[in-house]
Structure formats: structure tokens, C-alpha cells
Amino acid sequence: MGVQRCDNSVLISADGELDEDAGGALLQALDHIAADERDLLVDLHGVTAMDTDGLFHLLDLHRRAELLRLRVLVTGWQPQPQQLMAEVAGIPGPGTATGERYAVAGFRRLLEDRAQRARDHADFATDWLPRI
């Protein structure tokens, strides 16, 4: 995870997998936001894989950045993270342009609700199915 500042913008560059362990590193990028910073750019070019926990971390970062009055742009969606977000959102088809829809009002809430249901379903299956 890399953080760069330029003028009124903050750039977060993520690499590898965006999963359960990535949340702290993402949120640390917001720890020292200056009052004059207006834009948060999140570059996902280096993120090869993302699970629902990683999606939750990304959504949480987006929500917290907006509370700091930052405009958020997420770019560089790779195939697997983009496909995961499309599946969670219920948008059919490979190569769906979920990165563009992500900025639409209400899309983040839709993703949060559906990702929570997917996580709850996975937790239920883990806790209640017999282990072989």
C-alpha cells in the first residue's frame, strides 16, 4: 500500500490481494488528511484479487473519505475484483463496467447490503454445515 500527496489530492496505490488483512492499511491513509485536501484517488491496478472482506474495506474507506469531504475516485479495476463486485451487485456478464457504476449514488449502499448478505450466508454455511 502506497500513499502519495500532490497539491489537494491523495493517491492510494494498492497491490496484491485486497482481503480481511488490508483494512488497517487502507484506513491509515486517511489518518493525516489535511484540511485543504479535496480528492482521494484509489489505484487498484496492482490488486489481483479481492474478496468480500476487501470489498467491505474499500467501501468503508469510501464512506470515511466522504465524511472528510473528499471526492473519491477508484480506478484500475482488474478482472477478478471487478467481477466480484459485479457478482455482489447482481450485475450479470463478464467485463461489466462496475467501476463506472461505483460512483453512482446508491450503488455503494447496494453493494454494502449485498456483500453483507453474502458474508452472512458464508458465515452461516461455515458455522452450521458439518465438517468432513
Side-chain angles (χ1 to χ4, degrees):
M1 199 77 52
V3 179
Q4 298 175 355
R5 288 177 164 74
C6 181
D7 296 327
N8 296 337
S9 299
V10 176
L11 170 65
I12 299 174
S13 299
D15 290 320
E17 294 183 16
L18 195 54
D19 57 15
E20 181 179 7
D21 299 330
L26 276 175
L27 294 179
Q28 284 179 354
L30 298 179
D31 285 348
H32 303 289
I33 295 294
D36 64 336
E37 291 173 325
R38 296 287 174 243
D39 299 308
L40 174 66
L41 296 105
V42 181
D43 180 2
L44 300 180
H45 280 98
V47 175
T48 56
M50 180 173 68
D51 62 12
T52 54
D53 289 323
L55 179 57
F56 270 122
H57 291 313
L58 191 57
L59 293 168
D60 190 36
L61 174 73
H62 193 278
R63 185 183 328 84
R64 290 173 187 246
E66 285 182 334
L67 290 173
L68 294 170
R69 300 184 186 267
L70 295 171
R71 183 177 42 194
V72 180
L73 175 65
V74 181
T75 187
W77 290 96
Q78 297 304 304
Q80 189 279 333
Q82 187 172 5
Q83 188 61 34
L84 171 78
M85 194 162 74
E87 289 171 10
V88 167
I91 302 170
T96 306
T98 53
E100 294 172 12
R101 290 187 176 101
Y102 185 69
V104 176
F107 188 63
R108 185 182 70 210
R109 185 70 190 147
L110 169 78
L111 279 173
E112 288 171 339
D113 290 346
R114 291 189 176 172
Q116 185 61 52
R117 277 187 257 150
R119 180 190 269 176
D120 291 346
H121 179 74
D123 289 347
F124 177 79
T126 300
D127 292 339
W128 291 96
L129 291 178
R131 297 179 195 263
I132 299 176

